[in-house]
Amino acid sequence: MHDPDVFRAMHVARFHAEPAIFAAPGRVNLIGEHTDYAEGFVMPVAIDFATLAGISPRSDGKIVLYSENYGEERSFEAAALPAKAGQRWTDYPLGVVSILAGEGHAIPGFSLSLWGDVPLGSGLSSSASVEVATALAVTRLIGVSYPGPVLARLCQRAENEFVEANCGIMDQFISANGAKDHALLLDCRDLSFKLAPIPPNVALVIANTMVKHSIAGGDYATRRAESEAACAIINSHRGGVPFLRDATLEDLEKWGHEMAPNSLKRARHVISENLRTVAASEALLKGDMAEVGRLMAEAHKSYSQDFEGSCEEADAMVALAQDLPGLIGARLTGGGFGGCTINLVEQDQAAAFVEALGSRYAAQTGIVPQIHICHASGGARRLR
Ligand code: ADP
Ligand code: MG
């Protein structure tokens, strides 16, 4: 995370006012892929990359936003906020302000500085970290306080309704509610959650394949429709299965023959992934890291073979990690068809692991990957 003292000095030099400073982390999903819209389980971890937000009041009725990452300052009238997104970075903080205004809060003028080290657009959720840091800053300024889960929902709405990006609640939820040295098992049905410890000597090595494929013949929407079609068939037989969260592997044995082959495979991924995600949280609670690693390997196989959500590069990144010293478990994380893998690695082997994985991947694919060593960190908080 960037140095809060440097950040404070930056805000003071620009706006001539003392800021209140907040930090909100990015995240990585340890296990639980494409289970969220099936009302199932995900288990993200907050990481030690974060966005800082500094806020100070203004008396001229303006909302002035500055991002150090973009080196850009933009000004708006608090009394006449834009109703629509402008297709730029300011949409994320403005979306939060707009949702808070919609909740009936009067929004005064303020200066807001942002500075993050969450890599932008790499799947580590810099957007949620901006939203949550902004939401903490603005709510503090106007003297209201929301519980973390409620704050997360407001930030998700900012991204869905203002930015018009169709994301689930996971990113904002973990950014707002993460806990140091813990993963968070989130039930996407009712947003109840349980923390599960990650040993402090385990590093989260996040390896960016540097590819993002838009695949021929379908994408996220197709996969989702295929898995929902399987769910509808199960529901037509025994009822009470509005989502695959409610289905079992036995259901697939009974009625799988009525499903299109792809529907059956997608459903098998979602149903088994829910089981693995809950099992992984239990293994973490027992400190059984070998079991966590085994579940991650199974999860990757299911994601790649049944969900067909991986790609050559991500499969390579996972395969090339397998025999490296210190590896506990590796899998593709995120929406699929590229993006990052998450590797749980013994901390004292992490630097050598990164070296070796990077050179193996470059040699095999011709692509130089970005690989980050992260740790399970705390959720959003006030720094000063
Ligand atoms: P991800 O969330 O995976 O990093 P997104 O495309 O969802 O990728 O969000 C990235 C966007 O979030 C950036 O393009 C930018 O608009 C905004 N953003 C992230 N970090 C910052 C920052 N420090 N300052 C300003 N805008 C940011
Ligand atoms: Mg995002």
Side-chain angles (χ1 to χ4, degrees):
M1 191 173 72
H2 288 307
D3 184 344
D5 292 329
V6 178
F7 181 64
R8 176 198 160 268
M10 198 184 80
H11 185 98
V12 171
R14 173 169 297 271
F15 295 118
H16 312 291
E18 191 62 43
I21 300 179
F22 302 83
R27 65 93 187 95
V28 66
N29 191 24
L30 205 55
I31 190 165
E33 233 58 79
H34 292 272
T35 45
D36 56 346
Y37 51 83
E39 296 207 345
F41 296 90
V42 294
M43 192 159 66
V45 189
I47 57 177
D48 39 2
F49 290 143
T51 299
L52 301 183
I55 196 163
S56 54
R58 297 178 70 95
S59 51
D60 60 2
K62 289 189 191 305
I63 291 178
V64 182
L65 307 174
Y66 173 72
S67 166
E68 174 69 9
N69 297 72
Y70 284 84
E72 189 182 34
E73 180 181 301
R74 300 186 75 87
S75 182
F76 305 86
E77 295 295 329
L81 287 169
K84 281 185 82 70
Q87 312 305 327
R88 45 167 39 105
W89 65 268
T90 47
D91 292 344
Y92 296 87
L94 282 179
V96 170
V97 173
S98 143
I99 292 292
L100 288 171
E103 290 292 294
H105 299 298
I107 306 291
F110 62 82
S111 306
L112 182 88
S113 305
L114 295 169
W115 190 22
D117 60 4
V118 188
L120 273 61
S122 292
L124 301 184
S125 216
S126 67
S127 59
S129 72
V130 167
E131 290 150 9
V132 172
T134 302
L136 275 188
V138 176
T139 52
R140 184 62 67 104
L141 182 80
I142 63 180
V144 295
S145 161
Y146 288 107
V150 179
L151 196 80
R153 182 64 92 188
L154 294 172
C155 290
Q156 182 203 10
R157 286 183 51 207
E159 189 145 344
N160 291 165
E161 296 170 25
F162 193 86
V163 182
E164 295 184 345
N166 178 20
C167 62
I169 184 117
M170 172 171 77
D171 302 355
Q172 293 82 6
F173 199 94
I174 183 67
S175 184
N177 302 294
K180 188 168 161 50
D181 295 331
H182 286 79
L184 185 154
L185 176 72
L186 177 65
D187 184 338
C188 297
R189 169 154 283 169
D190 61 8
L191 300 190
S192 60
F193 66 96
K194 264 193 242 159
L195 296 176
I198 297 195
N201 66 336
V202 171
L204 311 166
V205 176
I206 301 167
N208 192 335
T209 61
M210 314 303 278
V211 300
K212 189 72 202 166
H213 298 286
S214 58
I215 54 159
D219 54 8
Y220 174 86
T222 315
R223 295 292 189 282
R224 184 168 175 165
E226 287 164 345
S227 67
E228 287 171 354
C231 187
I233 288 173
I234 299 168
N235 197 45
S236 74
H237 285 286
R238 69 170 176 92
V241 188
F243 293 93
L244 279 179
R245 151 67 178 273
D246 306 298
T248 64
L249 293 171
E250 293 76 65
D251 290 330
L252 294 184
E253 270 163 35
K254 278 193 205 150
W255 298 301
H257 64 277
E258 293 179 24
M259 298 168 189
N262 278 350
S263 276
L264 172 60
K265 288 166 69 176
R266 309 313 180 228
R268 191 162 57 209
H269 167 75
V270 174
I271 295 170
S272 63
E273 186 81 346
N274 272 324
L275 295 170
R276 282 187 293 271
T277 304
V278 173
S281 76
E282 285 161 3
L284 282 178
L285 282 164
K286 284 191 222 138
D288 186 350
M289 296 310 287
E291 175 67 359
V292 175
R294 197 190 63 75
L295 290 163
M296 288 174 75
E298 261 188 25
H300 183 77
K301 194 171 159 211
S302 169
Y303 200 8
S304 181
Q305 294 179 6
D306 273 347
F307 202 78
E308 296 181 84
S310 186
C311 61
E312 215 175 288
E313 295 86 350
D315 285 344
M317 191 75 92
V318 168
L320 293 171
Q322 291 309 317
D323 63 341
L324 290 177
L327 181 78
I328 296 164
R331 55 175 286 277
L332 172 62
T333 181
F337 314 114
C340 296
T341 67
I342 167 74
N343 304 265
L344 293 186
V345 181
E346 304 286 352
Q347 174 61 43
D348 54 3
Q349 308 272 5
F353 179 92
V354 168
E355 270 298 310
L357 182 60
S359 49
R360 283 182 174 186
Y361 182 77
Q364 177 155 335
T365 63
I367 305 166
V368 177
Q370 273 170 14
I371 309 184
H372 308 284
I373 300 179
C374 296
H375 302 92
S377 297
R381 60 206 174 270
R382 182 170 184 172
L383 295 183
R384 62 165 84 215

